[in-house]
Amino acid sequence: MPTLSEADSKKLLAAQGIPVPTEEVASDPDGAAAAATRIGFPVVAKLCGDGIAHKTERGLVRLGLADPAAVRDAAAALLGAATPEDGPVGVLVAPMVSGLRELIAGLVRDAQFGPCVMVGLGGVLAEAVADVAFGVAPITRVEAGEMIDGLASQAILGPLRGEPAVDRERLIDVLVGLSALAGDPSVVSVDLNPMIVSAGVPVAVDALVEVAGAGAGGGR
Amino acid sequence: MSAPRPRYSDEQFKSLFEPGGVIVAGASTHPAKFGFTALHNILANGFAGRVFATNLEGGDILGVPTVAGIEQLPDGEADLVFVCTPAGANESVLRACAAKGVRAAFITSAGYGEAGEQGREAEARLVALCEELGILLAGPNGQGLVSTPASLCAQIVAPYPPAGGIAIASQSGNFVSSLMNYAVQTGVGISRAVSAGNAAALTVGDLLSWYGRDEETQVALGYVEGVADGRRFYDQVRAVSEDKPVVLVKGGMTPGGQQAAASHTGSLASEGRVFEGAMRQAGVCRAATIEEAFEAAATFATQPLPKGPRTIVITTAGGWGVVTADAIWGSSLELMGLPDDLRASIDQKLPPRWSRSNPIDMAGGETRDTIPEVLEVVASHPEVDAVVYLGLGIQSNTARGLMTGRFYPEYGLERIADFHQRQDRRFATAAAEVSQATGKPVLTATELALADPNNPGPATVRETGRLCYPSANRAVTALEHMWRYSQWRQRRGLSV
């Protein structure tokens, strides 16, 4: 199934009111360094292209780049790691978003229930905890709130070790935004993993949108 | 939101649940055969309409003169056929029934979708045939249906339940039987019940959807293992929830249960958490077990919906109150603090050793009229949304000990045993009356409901038409189901 590049995925999501970091795509190491200077250090650099779905596994994410030289080196290495199958690529430069908590959210097309919005606990323990809740799209804000209330780990959504509680309304924005994308048959699935909770706001630091193949006309 | 277009018309459902006449096709002279049991149960439970039966050899069964073929029956006298013939005979039976004006068929015959490739083909032909004939098709491979407003017990299992407001639709016939056994035990009755069998055409979702429109039904109760069309099921139950509560047990939520479900009804269980989310969104009360489902449904059918979560526990003994407080704390209900004015009112009625907090532990300080008075003052308080009352039946339990000992009725034991029993009857009646007067749920829980159902406490609760919960935890679980549903309605601007 074809995917949108991370940058294009985030553009689609931002248009639905889903918080994403302010980021830029550069075509070469100098452009990446300039972008990083505009964004402010430290930054993260990732290889970005339509065909790239498993960045972490391929080592295509560089975190905590503190100055222009580090960005330039990382960008050169990332561009050098691209393969012909990746197609046209660039370097995505984004601010380092920090927070103790990670959430996940997404849109899936279930064989039984059709398009469904998902929200859950993210981070390294996510798979073990498996705390997720689904809703049948389209969802209202009330229903998005009920999904959030349906998570078992409510304490993690409250104030935590000096960080404020997860902003419920902003998280509802994310879920309702995902729900709106369900109406677009060309969007097969959306995976926001992770969203880092920064100053209470869940920010989609990585995003992958699966789209229907050329001429496939949507569906699953 | 509007429900999906019903598969069958209300007239067809009326033919199923309130037929003017019933034909038992394949009635048997042998008391161990389904074709005998079905006819027996229809006749024995007071069905007022006409009853016909077919049997290849003719002759009389249970006083009903049978005919060899449907063709020999009068036109327009039967709306429902209850089919006990072998699968191979059913096409001609149904064609003949349609010609006589039959609009609904319940098919018990096996050998369809549950029986391999050939069976699946036969089932597809059966569905197409009924569609062609304009006949509502229930089953095949089902155990029957019950409709108490029509005194209709067309089933090959037992029991026939008391009449009431709970309507059942189940993919498992034996769970229908289990639920009706609970109805008999508790006295909280049933309006309709259908064992959907293979649900080849009429699904559990279709039934729940009709129960939403059925004036005889106050709460719809379903058991499913898998649904063929999740989205349609979601839309159906959601529309029902806007009118009345839906309680659902979903079998096959774990890989172990899914494997069992695949071999039971051949249905593939959908991903558990998607199903869970869809049902929460649809306002459906999900119960983990059949007894939890029955108790939730019985509560909806007999108690007013709480408008808020603030719950008070009234108890005659400390330990019961402590454990119940734990159960409420672990739920979405609220173990509310006692308002000062309420504490002051209770101070007037009890000696100072009472708990002076929630749970209200009377600590043995109650006299003749205390319990009805405390129930009344607590339930009437504007901040209180619900009451759980513990300790009913202990006086009668003491009386039982006196009455079964060798000194009874001497030494004044008869008089005191009478008093104890009268008191428990009063308390049970007061709980129901206070609930009715205030429009708030008042749930009574005691293990005596099971341990000694004839104890005048729980027996009187049954007489008031309500459920006596076998434990405080089970009362709290039932109350939480009500509160969740109440919240679901309130958030959508629906009346509670």
Side-chain angles (χ1 to χ4, degrees):
Chain A
M1 194 72 70
T3 55
L4 297 183
S5 73
E6 183 178 342
D8 287 345
S9 295
K10 285 175 172 168
K11 246 177 249 165
L12 188 70
L13 299 166
Q16 297 297 341
I18 295 172
V20 298
T22 314
E23 48 196 31
E24 295 185 29
V25 180
S27 53
D28 57 44
D30 284 340
T37 306
R38 283 190 292 274
I39 289 166
F41 294 97
V43 296
V44 51
K46 309 181 216 183
L47 192 67
C48 178
D50 287 351
I52 301 173
H54 301 287
K55 289 183 288 284
T56 309
E57 291 85 337
R58 289 178 57 195
L60 301 179
V61 180
R62 303 295 162 91
L63 301 170
L65 307 172
D67 54 50
V71 173
R72 214 173 277 118
D73 288 351
L78 289 170
L79 291 166
T83 64
E85 295 82 60
D86 291 337
V89 293
V91 176
L92 184 78
V93 182
M96 282 291 291
V97 176
S98 64
L100 291 170
R101 285 165 291 191
E102 292 185 4
L103 301 174
I104 52 173
L107 175 70
V108 296
R109 293 192 186 265
D110 182 77
Q112 281 281 312
F113 289 90
C116 292
V117 177
M118 185 270 281
V119 66
L121 205 66
V124 287
L125 300 179
E127 221 165 301
V129 176
D131 188 8
V132 297
F134 287 86
V136 178
I139 57 168
T140 62
R141 293 189 73 82
V142 164
E143 289 166 342
E146 288 172 341
M147 286 173 63
I148 296 166
D149 294 339
L151 294 173
S153 318
Q154 290 298 313
I156 290 178
L157 301 177
L160 187 77
R161 300 183 65 154
E163 291 192 1
V166 174
D167 186 329
R168 186 181 169 86
E169 294 305 311
R170 297 303 295 274
L171 186 53
I172 288 174
D173 288 343
V174 172
L175 303 185
V176 170
L178 288 167
S179 170
L181 287 172
D184 179 349
S186 71
V187 176
V188 175
S189 75
V190 180
D191 189 16
L192 309 185
N193 185 10
M195 291 189 294
I196 293 178
V197 179
S198 173
V201 178
V203 180
V205 299
D206 198 358
L208 187 65
V209 175
E210 251 187 332
V211 290
R220 30 186 186 267
Chain B
M1 168 181 283
S2 60
R5 213 167 67 83
R7 198 182 309 268
Y8 293 120
S9 69
D10 285 5
E11 288 70 34
Q12 285 174 305
F13 278 111
K14 217 167 162 60
S15 298
L16 182 68
F17 288 113
E18 295 183 3
V22 179
I23 303 167
V24 176
S28 171
T29 54
H30 193 302
K33 299 257 187 187
F34 291 163
F36 179 92
T37 311
L39 182 62
H40 173 271
N41 288 347
I42 291 168
L43 295 170
N45 290 288
F47 176 62
R50 297 196 64 182
V51 180
F52 307 96
T54 68
N55 176 280
L56 286 180
E57 284 146 34
D60 223 65
I61 306 176
L62 294 168
V64 176
T66 67
V67 294
I70 305 278
E71 298 76 12
Q72 294 158 256
L73 295 174
D75 288 348
E77 292 289 332
D79 307 298
L80 170 67
V81 60
F82 194 85
V83 180
C84 300
T85 41
N90 289 347
E91 179 173 350
S92 64
V93 166
L94 289 165
R95 284 194 185 281
C97 283
K100 295 291 175 186
V102 166
R103 300 290 308 278
F106 191 100
I107 300 189
T108 63
S109 325
Y112 287 101
E114 81 291 353
E117 188 53 39
Q118 271 188 320
R120 279 192 290 278
E121 284 167 16
E123 186 165 296
R125 286 196 301 276
L126 180 71
V127 171
L129 175 69
C130 287
E131 202 163 306
E132 174 201 324
L133 299 174
I135 286 182
L136 177 154
L137 167 62
N141 194 26
Q143 296 185 348
L145 76 135
V146 157
S147 175
T148 57
S151 300
L152 178 62
C153 179
Q155 62 174 356
I156 56 180
V157 289
Y160 182 67
I166 302 174
I168 300 165
S170 173
Q171 266 178 344
S172 153
N174 285 91
F175 268 147
V176 176
S177 194
S178 301
L179 289 162
M180 294 194 301
N181 280 323
Y182 286 131
V184 170
Q185 179 196 345
T186 62
V188 181
I190 304 297
S191 55
R192 329 278 190 183
V194 177
S195 150
N198 293 359
L202 180 71
T203 63
V204 169
D206 294 334
L207 284 162
L208 295 175
S209 182
W210 186 77
Y211 293 156
R213 306 194 294 280
D214 177 20
E215 286 178 6
E216 303 286 347
T217 293
Q218 291 168 276
V219 48
L221 201 178
Y223 171 78
V224 293
E225 287 168 4
V227 288
D229 182 343
R231 187 68 186 219
R232 182 179 166 86
F233 186 76
Y234 164 78
D235 288 337
Q236 287 175 321
V237 290
R238 181 187 172 117
V240 178
S241 293
E242 291 181 6
D243 288 326
K244 57 186 83 166
V246 181
V247 179
L248 189 75
V249 179
K250 168 82 163 68
M253 289 302 284
T254 64
Q258 282 158 15
Q259 205 173 3
S263 63
H264 177 206
T265 50
S267 60
L268 201 65
S270 51
E271 211 279 300
R273 269 183 292 228
V274 174
F275 190 88
E276 186 180 312
M279 293 304 104
R280 177 190 54 235
Q281 194 176 348
V284 167
C285 306
R286 285 281 307 285
T289 64
I290 288 293
E291 69 265 23
E292 181 186 330
F294 180 80
E295 286 171 8
T299 308
F300 281 118
T302 59
Q303 297 270 358
L305 214 52
K307 295 189 171 53
R310 291 164 302 190
T311 305
I312 295 260
V313 180
I314 299 174
T315 177
T316 53
W320 293 338
V322 174
V323 169
T324 310
D326 283 337
I328 292 172
W329 198 263
S331 76
S332 57
L333 298 166
E334 182 188 329
L335 185 71
M336 68 180 286
L338 271 196
D340 290 342
D341 59 335
L342 182 53
R343 185 183 295 110
S345 303
I346 301 171
D347 275 336
Q348 305 291 313
K349 301 182 185 304
L350 282 167
R353 67 173 182 275
W354 76 282
S355 63
R356 307 198 79 242
S357 62
N358 183 17
I360 297 170
D361 174 10
M362 292 182 262
E366 65 271 24
T367 54
R368 176 187 290 262
D369 297 319
T370 314
I371 289 175
E373 286 175 8
V374 170
L375 280 168
E376 208 271 327
V377 72
V378 169
S380 304
H381 194 278
E383 288 176 36
V384 175
D385 296 312
V387 177
V388 176
Y389 163 45
L390 312 175
L392 179 71
I394 49 174
Q395 286 188 244
S396 302
N397 208 31
T398 302
R400 190 186 185 198
L402 299 176
M403 291 162 77
T404 51
R406 66 191 163 90
F407 302 103
Y408 189 82
E410 306 303 325
Y411 304 97
L413 297 188
E414 184 170 18
R415 197 179 66 82
I416 195 69
D418 280 353
F419 170 74
H420 283 323
Q421 296 187 326
R422 208 162 50 240
Q423 284 294 86
D424 277 320
R425 285 190 205 100
R426 277 186 70 204
F427 301 160
T429 306
E433 284 175 355
V434 158
S435 169
Q436 258 158 10
T438 58
K440 297 175 187 179
V442 177
L443 282 67
T444 303
T446 167
E447 75 288 351
L448 291 163
L450 297 179
D452 183 16
N454 295 323
N455 177 302
T460 306
V461 176
R462 281 199 303 280
E463 282 164 25
T464 67
R466 296 186 172 218
L467 185 63
C468 188
Y469 300 82
S471 75
N473 290 63
R474 283 160 75 164
V476 168
T477 299
L479 184 59
E480 189 183 12
H481 278 299
M482 287 195 110
W483 166 231
R484 285 177 183 274
Y485 178 63
S486 175
Q487 275 180 297
W488 185 89
R489 294 189 66 86
Q490 290 180 40
R491 289 195 204 104
R492 285 156 181 79
L494 299 167
S495 63
V496 293

